Coordinates of all heavy atoms in Angstrom, one line a residue:
V147 N 9.9 4.3 -18.2 CA 11.2 4.8 -18.5 C 11.4 5.3 -20.0 O 12.2 6.2 -20.3 CB 12.3 3.7 -18.2 CG1 12.2 2.6 -19.2 CG2 13.7 4.3 -18.2
F148 N 10.5 4.7 -20.8 CA 10.6 5.1 -22.3 C 9.8 6.4 -22.5 O 9.7 6.8 -23.7 CB 10.1 3.9 -23.1 CG 11.0 2.7 -23.1 CD1 10.6 1.6 -22.4 CD2 12.2 2.8 -23.7 CE1 11.4 0.5 -22.4 CE2 13.0 1.7 -23.7 CZ 12.7 0.5 -23.0
L149 N 9.2 7.0 -21.5 CA 8.6 8.3 -21.7 C 9.5 9.4 -21.4 O 9.1 10.6 -21.4 CB 7.3 8.3 -20.7 CG 6.3 7.2 -21.0 CD1 5.1 7.4 -20.0 CD2 5.8 7.3 -22.4
R150 N 10.8 9.2 -21.1 CA 11.7 10.2 -20.8 C 11.8 11.2 -22.0 O 11.9 10.7 -23.2 CB 13.1 9.7 -20.5 CG 13.2 8.9 -19.2 CD 14.7 8.5 -19.0 NE 15.5 9.7 -18.6 CZ 16.8 9.7 -18.5 NH1 17.5 8.6 -18.8 NH2 17.5 10.8 -18.2
P151 N 11.8 12.5 -21.8 CA 12.0 13.4 -22.9 C 13.3 13.2 -23.7 O 14.3 12.9 -23.0 CB 11.9 14.8 -22.2 CG 11.2 14.5 -20.9 CD 11.7 13.1 -20.5
D152 N 13.3 13.4 -25.0 CA 14.5 13.3 -25.8 C 15.6 14.2 -25.3 O 16.8 13.8 -25.2 CB 14.2 13.6 -27.2 CG 13.4 12.5 -27.9 OD1 13.3 11.4 -27.4 OD2 12.8 12.8 -28.9
A153 N 15.3 15.4 -24.8 CA 16.3 16.4 -24.4 C 17.0 15.9 -23.1 O 18.2 16.1 -22.9 CB 15.6 17.7 -24.1
E154 N 16.2 15.2 -22.2 CA 16.8 14.6 -21.0 C 17.7 13.5 -21.3 O 18.8 13.4 -20.7 CB 15.6 14.1 -20.1 CG 16.1 13.7 -18.7 CD 14.9 13.3 -17.9 OE1 14.0 14.1 -17.8 OE2 14.9 12.1 -17.3
I155 N 17.4 12.7 -22.3 CA 18.2 11.6 -22.7 C 19.5 12.1 -23.3 O 20.6 11.6 -23.0 CB 17.5 10.6 -23.7 CG1 16.3 10.0 -23.0 CG2 18.5 9.6 -24.3 CD1 15.5 9.1 -24.0
R156 N 19.4 13.1 -24.2 CA 20.6 13.7 -24.8 C 21.5 14.3 -23.8 O 22.8 14.1 -23.8 CB 20.2 14.8 -25.8 CG 21.4 15.4 -26.5 CD 21.0 16.6 -27.4 NE 22.2 17.0 -28.1 CZ 23.1 17.8 -27.6 NH1 23.0 18.2 -26.3 NH2 24.2 18.2 -28.3
A157 N 21.0 15.0 -22.8 CA 21.8 15.6 -21.7 C 22.6 14.5 -21.0 O 23.8 14.7 -20.6 CB 21.0 16.4 -20.8
E158 N 22.0 13.4 -20.7 CA 22.7 12.3 -20.0 C 23.7 11.7 -20.8 O 24.8 11.3 -20.3 CB 21.7 11.2 -19.5 CG 22.3 10.2 -18.7 CD 21.3 9.3 -18.0 OE1 20.1 9.6 -17.9 OE2 21.7 8.2 -17.4
V159 N 23.5 11.5 -22.1 CA 24.5 10.9 -23.0 C 25.8 11.8 -23.0 O 26.9 11.4 -22.9 CB 24.0 10.8 -24.5 CG1 25.1 10.4 -25.4 CG2 22.9 9.8 -24.5
V160 N 25.5 13.1 -23.2 CA 26.7 14.1 -23.2 C 27.4 14.1 -21.9 O 28.7 14.0 -21.8 CB 26.2 15.5 -23.5 CG1 27.3 16.5 -23.4 CG2 25.6 15.5 -24.9
D161 N 26.7 14.2 -20.8 CA 27.3 14.3 -19.5 C 28.0 13.0 -19.0 O 29.1 13.0 -18.6 CB 26.3 14.8 -18.4 CG 26.9 15.1 -17.1 OD1 27.9 15.9 -17.0 OD2 26.5 14.5 -16.1
E162 N 27.2 11.9 -19.0 CA 27.7 10.7 -18.5 C 28.7 9.9 -19.4 O 29.6 9.3 -18.9 CB 26.5 9.7 -18.1 CG 25.6 10.3 -17.0 CD 26.3 10.3 -15.7 OE1 27.2 9.5 -15.4 OE2 25.9 11.2 -14.9
V163 N 28.4 9.9 -20.7 CA 29.2 9.1 -21.6 C 30.4 9.9 -22.1 O 31.5 9.5 -22.0 CB 28.3 8.6 -22.8 CG1 29.2 7.8 -23.8 CG2 27.2 7.7 -22.3
L164 N 30.1 11.1 -22.8 CA 31.2 11.8 -23.4 C 32.1 12.5 -22.4 O 33.3 12.3 -22.4 CB 30.6 12.9 -24.3 CG 29.7 12.4 -25.5 CD1 29.3 13.5 -26.4 CD2 30.4 11.3 -26.3
V165 N 31.5 13.2 -21.4 CA 32.4 14.0 -20.5 C 32.9 13.2 -19.4 O 34.2 13.1 -19.2 CB 31.5 15.2 -19.9 CG1 32.4 16.0 -18.9 CG2 31.1 16.1 -21.1
R166 N 32.1 12.5 -18.7 CA 32.6 11.7 -17.5 C 33.3 10.5 -17.8 O 34.4 10.2 -17.2 CB 31.4 11.4 -16.6 CG 30.7 12.6 -16.0 CD 29.6 12.2 -15.1 NE 28.9 13.4 -14.5 CZ 29.2 14.0 -13.4 NH1 30.3 13.5 -12.7 NH2 28.6 15.1 -12.9
A167 N 32.8 9.7 -18.7 CA 33.4 8.4 -19.0 C 34.6 8.5 -20.0 O 35.6 7.9 -19.8 CB 32.4 7.4 -19.6
L168 N 34.4 9.3 -21.1 CA 35.5 9.3 -22.1 C 36.3 10.6 -22.1 O 37.2 10.8 -22.9 CB 34.8 9.2 -23.5 CG 34.1 7.9 -23.8 CD1 33.4 7.9 -25.1 CD2 35.2 6.8 -23.8
W169 N 36.0 11.5 -21.1 CA 36.8 12.7 -21.0 C 36.9 13.6 -22.2 O 37.9 14.1 -22.6 CB 38.2 12.4 -20.5 CG 38.3 11.8 -19.1 CD1 37.3 11.4 -18.3 CD2 39.5 11.5 -18.4 NE1 37.8 10.9 -17.2 CE2 39.1 10.9 -17.2 CE3 40.9 11.6 -18.7 CZ2 40.0 10.5 -16.2 CZ3 41.8 11.2 -17.8 CH2 41.4 10.7 -16.5
L170 N 35.8 13.6 -22.9 CA 35.7 14.4 -24.2 C 35.0 15.8 -23.9 O 34.3 15.9 -22.9 CB 35.0 13.7 -25.2 CG 35.6 12.3 -25.7 CD1 34.7 11.6 -26.7 CD2 37.0 12.5 -26.3
A171 N 35.3 16.7 -24.8 CA 34.5 17.9 -24.7 C 33.1 17.7 -25.1 O 32.8 16.8 -25.9 CB 35.1 19.0 -25.7
P172 N 32.1 18.4 -24.5 CA 30.7 18.1 -24.7 C 30.3 18.1 -26.2 O 29.4 17.4 -26.6 CB 30.0 19.3 -24.0 CG 31.0 19.7 -22.9 CD 32.3 19.5 -23.5
R173 N 31.0 18.9 -27.0 CA 30.7 19.0 -28.4 C 31.6 18.2 -29.3 O 31.6 18.3 -30.5 CB 30.7 20.4 -28.9 CG 29.6 21.3 -28.2 CD 29.6 22.7 -28.7 NE 28.5 23.5 -28.1 CZ 28.3 24.8 -28.4 NH1 29.0 25.4 -29.3 NH2 27.4 25.4 -27.7
A174 N 32.4 17.3 -28.7 CA 33.3 16.5 -29.5 C 32.6 15.5 -30.4 O 33.1 15.1 -31.5 CB 34.3 15.7 -28.6
V175 N 31.4 15.1 -30.0 CA 30.6 14.2 -30.8 C 29.2 14.8 -30.9 O 28.7 15.3 -29.9 CB 30.5 12.8 -30.1 CG1 29.4 11.9 -30.8 CG2 31.8 12.1 -30.2
D176 N 28.6 14.8 -32.0 CA 27.2 15.3 -32.2 C 26.2 14.2 -31.7 O 26.3 13.1 -32.2 CB 27.0 15.6 -33.7 CG 25.5 16.1 -33.8 OD1 25.3 17.3 -33.4 OD2 24.7 15.4 -34.5
V177 N 25.4 14.6 -30.8 CA 24.4 13.7 -30.2 C 23.0 14.3 -30.5 O 22.6 15.4 -30.1 CB 24.5 13.6 -28.7 CG1 23.5 12.6 -28.1 CG2 26.0 13.1 -28.3
S178 N 22.2 13.5 -31.2 CA 20.8 13.9 -31.5 C 19.9 12.7 -31.0 O 20.3 11.5 -31.2 CB 20.6 14.2 -33.0 OG 20.8 13.0 -33.7
V179 N 18.7 13.1 -30.5 CA 17.8 12.1 -30.0 C 16.4 12.4 -30.6 O 15.9 13.5 -30.4 CB 17.7 12.1 -28.5 CG1 16.8 10.9 -28.0 CG2 19.1 12.0 -27.9
T180 N 15.8 11.4 -31.2 CA 14.5 11.5 -31.8 C 13.6 10.3 -31.4 O 14.0 9.2 -31.7 CB 14.5 11.6 -33.3 OG1 15.3 12.7 -33.7 CG2 13.1 11.9 -33.9
E181 N 12.6 10.5 -30.6 CA 11.7 9.4 -30.1 C 12.5 8.3 -29.5 O 12.2 7.1 -29.6 CB 10.9 8.9 -31.3 CG 10.0 9.9 -31.9 CD 8.8 10.3 -31.0 OE1 8.5 9.5 -30.1 OE2 8.4 11.4 -31.1
G182 N 13.5 8.7 -28.7 CA 14.3 7.7 -27.9 C 15.4 7.1 -28.7 O 16.2 6.3 -28.1
V183 N 15.5 7.4 -30.0 CA 16.6 6.8 -30.8 C 17.8 7.8 -30.9 O 17.6 9.0 -31.3 CB 16.1 6.6 -32.3 CG1 17.3 6.1 -33.1 CG2 15.0 5.6 -32.3
V184 N 18.9 7.4 -30.4 CA 20.1 8.3 -30.2 C 21.0 8.1 -31.4 O 21.4 6.9 -31.8 CB 20.9 8.0 -28.9 CG1 22.1 8.9 -28.8 CG2 20.0 8.1 -27.7
T185 N 21.4 9.2 -32.1 CA 22.4 9.1 -33.2 C 23.7 9.8 -32.7 O 23.7 10.9 -32.3 CB 21.8 9.8 -34.4 OG1 20.6 9.2 -34.8 CG2 22.8 9.7 -35.6
L186 N 24.8 9.0 -32.8 CA 26.1 9.6 -32.5 C 26.9 9.8 -33.8 O 27.1 8.8 -34.5 CB 26.8 8.6 -31.6 CG 26.1 8.2 -30.3 CD1 26.9 7.1 -29.5 CD2 25.9 9.4 -29.4
T187 N 27.3 11.0 -34.0 CA 28.0 11.3 -35.2 C 29.3 12.1 -34.9 O 29.3 13.0 -34.1 CB 27.2 12.2 -36.1 OG1 25.9 11.6 -36.3 CG2 27.9 12.5 -37.5
G188 N 30.4 11.7 -35.5 CA 31.7 12.4 -35.3 C 32.9 11.4 -35.4 O 32.7 10.2 -35.6
Q189 N 34.1 12.0 -35.2 CA 35.3 11.2 -35.3 C 36.0 11.2 -33.9 O 36.1 12.3 -33.3 CB 36.3 11.8 -36.3 CG 37.5 10.9 -36.5 CD 38.4 11.5 -37.6 OE1 38.9 12.6 -37.5 NE2 38.7 10.7 -38.6
M190 N 36.3 10.0 -33.4 CA 37.0 9.9 -32.2 C 38.4 9.4 -32.4 O 38.8 9.0 -33.5 CB 36.2 8.9 -31.3 CG 34.8 9.4 -31.1 SD 33.8 8.3 -30.0 CE 34.5 8.7 -28.4
E191 N 39.2 9.4 -31.3 CA 40.6 9.0 -31.4 C 40.8 7.5 -31.7 O 41.5 7.2 -32.6 CB 41.4 9.4 -30.1 CG 42.9 9.2 -30.2 CD 43.6 10.1 -31.1 OE1 43.0 11.1 -31.5 OE2 44.7 9.7 -31.6
R192 N 40.1 6.7 -30.9 CA 40.3 5.2 -31.1 C 39.0 4.5 -31.3 O 37.9 4.9 -31.0 CB 40.9 4.7 -29.8 CG 42.2 5.4 -29.4 CD 42.9 4.6 -28.2 NE 42.0 4.5 -27.0 CZ 42.2 3.7 -26.0 NH1 43.3 2.9 -26.0 NH2 41.4 3.7 -25.0
K193 N 39.2 3.3 -32.0 CA 38.0 2.5 -32.3 C 37.4 2.0 -31.0 O 36.1 2.0 -30.8 CB 38.4 1.3 -33.1 CG 37.2 0.4 -33.4 CD 37.7 -0.8 -34.3 CE 36.5 -1.7 -34.6 NZ 36.9 -2.9 -35.4
S194 N 38.2 1.7 -30.0 CA 37.6 1.2 -28.7 C 36.8 2.3 -28.0 O 35.8 2.0 -27.3 CB 38.8 0.8 -27.8 OG 39.6 1.9 -27.5
E195 N 37.1 3.6 -28.2 CA 36.3 4.6 -27.6 C 34.9 4.7 -28.3 O 33.9 5.0 -27.6 CB 37.0 6.0 -27.8 CG 38.3 6.0 -26.9 CD 39.1 7.3 -27.1 OE1 38.6 8.2 -27.9 OE2 40.1 7.5 -26.5
T196 N 34.9 4.5 -29.6 CA 33.6 4.5 -30.3 C 32.7 3.4 -29.8 O 31.5 3.5 -29.6 CB 33.7 4.4 -31.8 OG1 34.3 3.1 -32.1 CG2 34.7 5.5 -32.3
E197 N 33.3 2.2 -29.5 CA 32.6 1.1 -29.0 C 32.0 1.3 -27.6 O 30.9 1.0 -27.3 CB 33.5 -0.2 -29.0 CG 33.8 -0.6 -30.4 CD 34.9 -1.7 -30.5 OE1 35.5 -1.9 -29.4 OE2 35.1 -2.3 -31.5
I198 N 32.9 2.0 -26.8 CA 32.4 2.3 -25.4 C 31.3 3.3 -25.5 O 30.3 3.2 -24.7 CB 33.6 2.9 -24.6 CG1 34.7 1.8 -24.3 CG2 33.1 3.5 -23.3 CD1 35.9 2.4 -23.7
A199 N 31.4 4.3 -26.3 CA 30.3 5.3 -26.4 C 29.0 4.7 -26.8 O 28.0 5.0 -26.2 CB 30.8 6.4 -27.5
V200 N 29.0 3.8 -27.8 CA 27.8 3.2 -28.3 C 27.2 2.3 -27.2 O 26.0 2.3 -26.9 CB 28.0 2.4 -29.6 CG1 26.8 1.6 -29.9 CG2 28.4 3.3 -30.7
S201 N 28.1 1.5 -26.5 CA 27.6 0.5 -25.5 C 27.0 1.2 -24.3 O 26.0 0.8 -23.8 CB 28.8 -0.3 -25.1 OG 28.4 -1.2 -24.0
M202 N 27.7 2.3 -23.8 CA 27.2 3.0 -22.7 C 25.9 3.7 -23.0 O 25.0 3.8 -22.2 CB 28.2 4.0 -22.2 CG 29.4 3.3 -21.5 SD 30.5 4.6 -20.8 CE 29.5 5.1 -19.4
T203 N 25.8 4.3 -24.2 CA 24.6 5.0 -24.6 C 23.4 4.0 -24.6 O 22.3 4.4 -24.2 CB 24.7 5.6 -26.0 OG1 25.8 6.6 -25.9 CG2 23.5 6.3 -26.4
R204 N 23.6 2.8 -25.1 CA 22.5 1.8 -25.1 C 22.0 1.5 -23.7 O 20.8 1.1 -23.6 CB 23.0 0.5 -25.8 CG 23.2 0.5 -27.3 CD 23.2 -0.9 -27.8 NE 23.4 -0.8 -29.3 CZ 24.5 -1.1 -29.9 NH1 25.6 -1.5 -29.2 NH2 24.6 -1.1 -31.2
Q205 N 22.8 1.7 -22.7 CA 22.4 1.3 -21.4 C 21.6 2.4 -20.6 O 21.1 2.2 -19.6 CB 23.7 1.0 -20.5 CG 24.4 -0.3 -21.1 CD 25.7 -0.5 -20.3 OE1 25.7 -0.5 -19.0 NE2 26.8 -0.7 -21.0
I206 N 21.6 3.6 -21.2 CA 20.9 4.7 -20.6 C 19.4 4.5 -20.6 O 18.8 4.0 -21.6 CB 21.2 6.0 -21.3 CG1 22.7 6.4 -21.0 CG2 20.3 7.1 -20.9 CD1 23.2 7.6 -21.7
D207 N 18.7 4.7 -19.5 CA 17.3 4.5 -19.4 C 16.5 5.4 -20.4 O 16.8 6.5 -20.6 CB 16.8 5.0 -18.0 CG 17.3 4.0 -16.9 OD1 17.7 2.9 -17.2 OD2 17.3 4.4 -15.7
G208 N 15.6 4.7 -21.1 CA 14.8 5.4 -22.1 C 15.3 5.3 -23.5 O 14.6 5.7 -24.4
V209 N 16.5 4.8 -23.7 CA 17.1 4.7 -25.1 C 16.4 3.5 -25.8 O 16.5 2.4 -25.3 CB 18.6 4.6 -25.0 CG1 19.1 4.3 -26.4 CG2 19.2 5.8 -24.5
V210 N 15.8 3.8 -26.9 CA 15.2 2.8 -27.7 C 16.2 2.1 -28.6 O 16.2 0.8 -28.8 CB 14.1 3.4 -28.6 CG1 13.5 2.3 -29.5 CG2 13.0 4.0 -27.7
A211 N 17.1 2.8 -29.2 CA 18.1 2.3 -30.1 C 19.2 3.3 -30.3 O 19.0 4.5 -30.0 CB 17.5 1.9 -31.5
V212 N 20.4 2.9 -30.8 CA 21.5 3.8 -31.0 C 22.0 3.6 -32.5 O 22.2 2.5 -32.9 CB 22.7 3.4 -30.1 CG1 23.9 4.4 -30.4 CG2 22.3 3.6 -28.6
V213 N 22.0 4.8 -33.2 CA 22.5 4.8 -34.5 C 24.0 5.2 -34.5 O 24.3 6.3 -34.1 CB 21.7 5.7 -35.4 CG1 22.3 5.8 -36.8 CG2 20.3 5.3 -35.5
D214 N 24.9 4.3 -34.9 CA 26.3 4.6 -34.8 C 26.9 5.1 -36.1 O 27.0 4.4 -37.1 CB 27.0 3.2 -34.4 CG 28.5 3.4 -34.3 OD1 29.0 4.6 -34.3 OD2 29.2 2.4 -34.2
R215 N 27.2 6.4 -36.0 CA 27.8 7.1 -37.2 C 29.2 7.6 -36.8 O 29.7 8.6 -37.3 CB 27.0 8.2 -37.7 CG 25.6 7.7 -38.3 CD 24.8 8.8 -38.8 NE 23.5 8.3 -39.4 CZ 22.5 9.1 -39.7 NH1 22.6 10.4 -39.5 NH2 21.4 8.5 -40.2
L216 N 29.9 6.9 -35.9 CA 31.2 7.3 -35.4 C 32.3 6.7 -36.2 O 32.2 5.6 -36.7 CB 31.3 6.9 -33.9 CG 30.4 7.5 -32.9 CD1 30.5 6.9 -31.5 CD2 30.7 9.0 -32.8
T217 N 33.3 7.5 -36.4 CA 34.5 7.0 -37.1 C 35.7 7.2 -36.1 O 35.5 7.7 -35.0 CB 34.8 7.8 -38.3 OG1 35.0 9.2 -38.0 CG2 33.7 7.7 -39.3
H218 N 36.9 6.7 -36.4 CA 38.0 6.7 -35.5 C 39.3 7.0 -36.3 O 39.4 6.6 -37.5 CB 38.1 5.4 -34.7 CG 38.1 4.2 -35.6 ND1 36.9 3.6 -36.0 CD2 39.1 3.5 -36.2 CE1 37.2 2.5 -36.7 NE2 38.5 2.5 -36.9
R219 N 40.3 7.6 -35.7 CA 41.6 7.8 -36.3 C 42.5 6.6 -36.2 O 43.3 6.3 -37.1 CB 42.3 9.0 -35.6 CG 41.5 10.3 -35.8 CD 42.4 11.5 -35.2 NE 41.7 12.7 -35.3 CZ 40.9 13.2 -34.3 NH1 40.7 12.5 -33.2 NH2 40.3 14.4 -34.5
L220 N 42.4 5.9 -35.1 CA 43.3 4.7 -34.8 C 42.5 3.5 -34.5 O 41.6 3.5 -33.6 CB 44.2 5.1 -33.6 CG 45.1 3.9 -33.1 CD1 46.1 3.6 -34.1 CD2 45.7 4.3 -31.8
D221 N 42.8 2.4 -35.2 CA 42.1 1.1 -34.9 C 43.0 0.4 -33.9 O 44.1 -0.2 -34.3 CB 42.0 0.3 -36.2 CG 41.3 -1.0 -35.9 OD1 41.0 -1.4 -34.7 OD2 40.9 -1.8 -36.9
D222 N 42.7 0.4 -32.6 CA 43.5 -0.1 -31.6 C 43.1 -1.6 -31.2 O 43.5 -2.1 -30.2 CB 43.5 0.7 -30.3 CG 42.1 0.9 -29.8 OD1 41.1 0.6 -30.6 OD2 41.9 1.4 -28.7
S223 N 42.2 -2.2 -32.0 CA 41.8 -3.5 -31.7 C 42.9 -4.6 -31.8 O 42.8 -5.6 -31.2 CB 40.6 -3.9 -32.6 OG 41.0 -3.9 -34.0

Side-chain angles (χ1 to χ4, degrees):
V147 70
F148 292 108
L149 300 179
R150 292 185 71 190
D152 290 341
E154 185 177 308
I155 295 174
R156 182 186 183 282
E158 185 168 346
V159 173
V160 172
D161 185 57
E162 295 293 331
V163 179
L164 301 185
V165 177
R166 294 179 182 273
L168 294 174
W169 293 6
L170 297 174
R173 297 184 180 180
V175 171
D176 179 68
V177 180
S178 63
V179 185
T180 304
E181 297 294 330
V183 178
V184 181
T185 300
L186 302 176
T187 307
Q189 187 177 58
M190 304 181 73
E191 184 67 20
R192 302 188 303 167
K193 180 180 180 181
S194 61
E195 292 175 1
T196 67
E197 294 170 346
I198 291 172
V200 172
S201 177
M202 290 188 68
T203 300
R204 285 198 180 106
Q205 297 177 47
I206 289 177
D207 292 339
V209 171
V210 176
V212 178
V213 178
D214 179 10
R215 294 178 179 172
L216 296 172
T217 60
H218 52 272
R219 298 186 182 90
L220 173 67
D221 184 352
D222 57 346
S223 60

